[in-house]
């Protein structure tokens, strides 16, 4: 591991200034992803700024009836929070499918959203990887790509984003509050946080260097039943092959409104308005669910080992929608 200096941040402004002033500096929260990457030599910060003790842990009600979750709230505390469990069960379910109890006790809200891909070639510095070393090539294109993206990928990178929480937050229409050194606090929809790889897979999100996530803002819960389903190789302690976040409201045996987001299939949580619109006013039938899946999965492409994900995503979406309206 490269030698680095360590600083415990006194407040948000000082932390942002410290990181913004040094291109080789990084924030560290729970450290459950960054430290692993440092040990492997994938991340080589010269300076780390510890933000884990900042006063950003609270989960509070907002005046509009939503919820504000501090960026330092631990994954296990968010999942166990009464308001989250009662009003945003989708979020609690997604968090509880992630990692292990021990990791969730360290992992933070901000760190979970900004964790890096789990593409094995990204973690192996002997392999070519455009995300790690721009211009080096992508070993996954011709390699073992079972876990890789079927949507939103490019010839430069076919990695997926691994966060379960991000998928739930995207379906719930959450936004993030961001603090920066030069900028006023600003907000960004969670769906706009992560970028598609295009020609620059090393640029993964729309934060500037030195900008810090300070909170997640949840709007009042949308109407309907919320459900998170995750398909993975093991029953626990594994990343998603495919996951589905669904929120469906019904009236007179028809879908009044529906929201769907997919995880494990793209470099960011995958949600489209077009797919959701196809469900409005439609009967609770397999045809309705399949037609939404068809629109959501438009343009899906496999890279060999992960071809199965297209059908898996379709079936998981169908099953989750059916379950969310009490049919399974
Ligand atoms: C074995 C294992 C299994 C896992 N399984 C799953 C799973 O199934 N599903 C899942 O979703 N996750 C899973 N995870 C990932 C885990 O949830 C993340 O490692 C964790 O959420 C990261 O949070 P952290 O606070 O430890 O982040 P850190 O490791 O501290 O930071 C991660 C990144 O975020 C940046 N950062 C952290 N906080 C902020 C902030 N507030 N503002 C700006 N930048 C910030 C850091 O600079 C760093 O780049 C797994 C991890 C492991 C090790
Ligand atoms: S898929 Fe992306 S992260 Fe994986 S090797 Fe290719 S460029 Fe690197």
């Amino acid at each position: 591991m490269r030698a680095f200096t360590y600083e415990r941040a006194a407040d948000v402004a000082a932390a942002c200034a410290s990181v913004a002033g040094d291109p080789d500096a990084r924030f560290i929260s729970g450290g459950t992803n960054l430290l692993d990457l440092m040990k492997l030599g994938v991340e080589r910060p010269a300076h780390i700024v510890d933000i884990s003790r900042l006063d950003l842990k609270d989960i509070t009600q907002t005046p509009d009836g939503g919820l504000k979750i501090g960026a330092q709230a631990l994954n296990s505390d968010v999942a166990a929070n009464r308001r989250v469990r009662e009003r945003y069960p989708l979020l609690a379910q997604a968090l509880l499918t992630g990692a292990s109890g021990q990791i969730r006790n360290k992992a933070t809200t901000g760190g979970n959203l900004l964790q890096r891909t789990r593409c094995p070639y990204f973690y192996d510095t002997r392999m070519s990887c455009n995300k790690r070393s721009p211009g080096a090539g992508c070993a996954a294109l011709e390699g073992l790509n079972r876990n890789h993206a079927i949507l939103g990928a490019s010839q430069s990178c076919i990695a997926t984003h691994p966060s379960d929480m991000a998928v739930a937050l995207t379906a719930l229409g959450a936004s993030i509050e961001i603090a920066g050194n030069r900028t006023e606090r600003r907000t960004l929809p969670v769906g706009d946080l992560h970028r598609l790889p295009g020609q620059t897979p090393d640029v993964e999100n729309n934060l500037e260097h030195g900008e810090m996530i300070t909170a997640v803002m949840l709007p009042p819960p949308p109407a309907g039943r919320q459900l998170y389903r995750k398909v993975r190789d093991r029953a626990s302690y594994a990343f998603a092959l495919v996951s589905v976040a669904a929120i469906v409201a019904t009236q007179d045996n028809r879908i009044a409104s529906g929201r769907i987001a997919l995880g494990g299939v793209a470099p960011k949580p995958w949600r489209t308005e077009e797919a959701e619109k196809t469900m409005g006013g439609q009967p609770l039938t397999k045809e309705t669910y399949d037609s939404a899946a068809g629109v959501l999965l438009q343009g899906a492409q496999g890279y060999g080992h992960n071809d199965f994900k297209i059908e898996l995503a379709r079936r998981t979406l169908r099953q989750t929608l059916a379950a969310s309206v009490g049919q399974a």
Side-chain angles (χ1 to χ4, degrees):
M1 196 193 279
R2 178 190 189 185
F4 59 89
T5 48
Y6 170 90
E7 170 190 351
R8 184 175 297 159
D11 54 45
V12 171
C16 292
S18 210
V19 172
D22 179 352
D24 275 346
R26 298 278 183 280
F27 298 118
I28 191 164
S29 298
T32 60
N33 189 215
L34 183 61
L35 273 181
D36 282 354
L37 291 165
M38 287 168 69
K39 286 180 200 161
L40 292 167
V42 176
E43 292 258 22
R44 294 168 48 80
H47 184 59
I48 59 174
V49 178
D50 184 351
I51 56 175
S52 64
R53 300 187 195 202
L54 294 181
D55 187 16
L56 297 171
K57 288 195 168 67
D58 289 346
I59 302 174
T60 50
Q61 182 118 8
T62 55
D64 67 351
L67 214 56
K68 178 175 181 173
I69 300 174
Q72 291 304 327
L74 301 176
N75 287 179
S76 45
D77 290 341
V78 177
N81 181 271
R82 185 177 53 80
R83 287 193 181 111
V84 172
R85 282 188 288 122
E86 286 174 0
R87 302 174 60 209
Y88 306 95
L90 181 57
L91 177 56
Q93 290 163 20
L95 281 165
L96 291 174
T97 67
S100 65
Q102 289 93 333
I103 292 169
R104 293 195 295 270
N105 284 341
K106 274 305 275 180
T108 63
T109 301
N112 188 302
L113 288 172
L114 294 177
Q115 62 176 293
R116 315 283 312 268
T117 181
R118 290 283 156 174
C119 170
Y121 302 109
F122 174 71
Y123 284 74
D124 185 344
T125 53
R126 295 164 305 178
M127 305 303 291
S128 52
C129 171
N130 288 322
K131 191 183 277 300
R132 189 169 19 78
S133 315
C138 169
L141 278 172
E142 301 293 328
L144 290 172
N145 48 39
R146 186 167 184 277
N147 294 323
H148 289 71
I150 52 170
L151 288 160
S154 73
Q155 283 302 306
S156 296
C157 178
I158 58 171
T160 56
H161 194 269
S163 166
D164 289 293
M165 184 178 81
V167 181
L169 291 176
T170 301
L172 287 164
S175 51
I176 51 169
E177 185 191 78
I178 301 160
N181 187 32
R182 286 170 292 132
T183 45
E184 295 291 311
R185 285 207 184 186
R186 64 183 179 111
T187 56
L188 197 65
V190 169
D192 293 342
L193 173 62
H194 303 106
R195 292 167 57 128
L196 296 182
Q199 301 297 312
T200 53
D202 52 313
V203 187
E204 294 179 335
N205 59 58
N206 288 315
L207 298 187
E208 282 179 29
H209 183 68
E211 280 193 320
M212 184 198 297
I213 296 177
T214 48
V216 165
M217 311 294 296
L218 280 160
R225 180 144 181 247
Q226 305 177 15
L227 204 55
Y228 190 75
R229 284 279 158 88
K230 176 170 172 178
V231 182
R232 47 191 157 171
D233 283 327
R234 283 191 309 247
S236 71
Y237 204 32
F239 289 91
L241 289 168
V242 167
S243 69
V244 175
I247 308 170
V248 184
T250 57
Q251 194 173 16
D252 302 330
N253 274 329
R254 290 186 176 264
I255 294 184
S257 65
R259 297 185 186 196
I260 39 180
L262 295 178
V265 295
K268 59 187 286 184
W270 201 256
R271 181 182 175 198
T272 67
E273 260 181 45
E274 295 73 31
E276 294 174 2
K277 275 191 194 145
T278 64
M279 296 194 290
Q282 296 305 306
L284 310 178
T285 59
K286 175 176 170 298
E287 288 68 33
T288 297
Y289 313 143
D290 281 349
S291 122
V295 178
L296 191 58
L297 290 165
Q298 230 159 43
Q301 182 197 340
Y303 293 88
H305 302 282
N306 69 345
D307 292 349
F308 73 98
K309 276 193 178 186
I310 300 175
E311 185 57 21
L312 181 65
R314 192 186 318 280
R315 290 180 188 211
T316 311
L317 185 56
R318 185 198 300 157
Q319 197 272 347
T320 311
L321 287 171
S324 72
V325 298
Q327 292 176 327

